[in-house]
Amino acid sequence: MSIRTTHRALLSRLLPDDKLDDLAVRQGQFHTVAIGSDRVVCLPRSRAAAARLPERAAALRALAGLDLGFRTPEPLLQGGAHGTDEAPFLVLNRIPGEPLETDALNDAHVVDTVAAQYATLLSALARAGTDETVRAVLPQAPEGQWRRFAENVRAELFPLMSDSGRLRAERELTALDSLPHLTHAVAHSDLGAENVLWEWTHGLPRLSGVLDWDDVTLNDPAEDLAAIGASYGPELMDRVLTLGNWSDHGLLTRIAAIRGTFALQQALYAIRDGDEEELSDGLACYR
């Protein structure tokens, strides 16, 4: 059943200037999002996602205070606290723009334009990682995170895999053993194409904003570069690496290792959040 029906009264109150039946609704891994004309309402899909709303709002406020060169969502209203009957929600301002269509990258000029803006974006996040205000708010990636991730995958997801799926997963997890513990940059940690918005001017895209900062940490920029490569392929990622002067072998190794875990990360989040749909999708290649 659509959230336009299940949360009609709440959405009517939060988006009074919009016609509910005309709202665009998008479903992410953690939230269902109703998109109004100038506001966005995020409704958690699980209790775990709801519990993370205050941390998400605090991170967004910290990012909004920086000059990153692109817009990030700003929290406007939060509600549905524990002990109330109201569904938990977070209202954000709406950032104009749309995700870039993959076929737009058939034009070499567009590829160069997009790669240059991704390089600028990643440089801005690296600078933000040195801001003491940001470092005081954002969590640091915990030391040993990949070792614990591998242990959790083996304990929680291996029983759901086929024999060949476990062998594949084991190869991907073994690649994580050599990853260093880096916390010098702000890492979005889910910088897939669907979370980056663009507006077109004179036939070329301009990066207007970045959404969905649920997993933001002080971490390794290789996480974001891996997501760019997964979304757009190696050609664009290589161009970004060249423009950002990040083409050392160690970084390339880290990118490859992290990219190999994306489906397992999705599945592990999903099994803990009780999200059967996302779990099935994440384990599709392991069953």
Side-chain angles (χ1 to χ4, degrees):
M1 186 178 295
S2 169
I3 64 167
R4 299 184 194 91
T5 301
T6 57
H7 294 83
R8 196 168 191 85
L10 178 62
L11 292 175
S12 294
R13 179 167 65 82
L14 299 176
L15 301 172
D17 298 327
D18 294 286
K19 294 182 179 179
L20 295 192
D21 293 333
D22 295 336
L23 291 177
V25 175
R26 293 178 183 168
Q27 181 169 293
Q29 181 169 358
F30 304 116
H31 303 94
T32 301
V33 180
I35 304 171
S37 55
D38 60 0
R39 290 183 167 195
V40 173
V41 179
C42 301
L43 299 168
R45 296 182 59 193
S46 67
R47 290 183 179 178
R52 294 191 293 265
L53 280 183
E55 293 178 5
R56 184 186 190 204
L60 289 174
R61 291 188 187 99
L63 292 168
L66 300 174
D67 182 15
L68 294 173
F70 56 88
R71 296 177 65 184
T72 58
E74 297 182 36
L76 303 175
L77 182 66
Q78 184 178 342
H82 180 70
T84 69
D85 293 332
E86 188 173 55
F89 66 84
L90 182 62
V91 180
L92 308 171
N93 66 319
R94 180 178 178 179
I95 297 175
E98 296 292 335
L100 194 67
E101 297 291 341
T102 303
D103 58 8
L105 297 176
N106 293 334
D107 184 312
H109 196 186
V110 171
V111 170
D112 287 342
T113 300
V114 169
Q117 290 178 82
Y118 266 119
T120 300
L121 183 160
L122 292 169
S123 295
L125 293 181
R127 288 194 304 273
T130 66
D131 186 294
E132 291 304 320
T133 301
V134 174
R135 296 189 69 84
V137 174
L138 298 187
Q140 288 194 15
E143 193 164 2
Q145 62 169 334
W146 292 115
R147 174 183 53 78
R148 286 189 291 275
F149 171 75
E151 292 171 352
N152 291 333
V153 168
R154 293 183 181 107
E156 299 178 50
L157 298 180
F158 270 30
L160 305 178
M161 298 179 185
S162 65
D163 290 342
S164 61
R166 282 190 288 273
L167 288 173
R168 171 179 174 162
E170 193 60 57
R171 288 193 298 271
E172 293 164 346
L173 296 175
T174 299
L176 301 175
D177 291 343
S178 61
L179 290 181
H181 181 234
L182 302 174
T183 62
H184 60 276
V186 172
H188 180 281
S189 301
D190 190 13
L191 202 62
E194 69 280 0
N195 288 328
V196 183
L197 302 183
W198 305 80
E199 294 183 299
W200 287 80
T201 305
H202 304 302
L204 290 173
R206 179 183 63 82
L207 197 157
S208 59
V210 179
L211 309 176
D212 197 359
W213 294 83
D214 281 27
D215 292 327
V216 63
T217 55
L218 298 166
N219 206 333
D220 185 349
E223 291 218 12
D224 289 340
L225 284 158
I228 293 170
S231 291
Y232 295 115
E235 180 182 349
L236 185 118
M237 187 188 74
D238 289 346
R239 186 73 178 125
V240 173
L241 288 168
T242 299
L243 291 169
N245 195 27
W246 298 310
S247 52
D248 65 277
H249 179 72
L251 176 59
L252 297 175
T253 300
R254 301 199 312 271
I255 291 170
I258 292 169
R259 182 173 175 178
T261 69
F262 282 167
L264 295 174
Q265 288 187 52
Q266 174 183 332
L268 190 61
Y269 267 122
I271 197 170
R272 292 175 172 181
D273 283 358
D275 191 327
E276 290 295 331
E277 183 178 347
E278 289 289 329
L279 176 63
S280 179
D281 182 64
L283 290 180
C285 293
Y286 300 91
R287 284 178 160 167

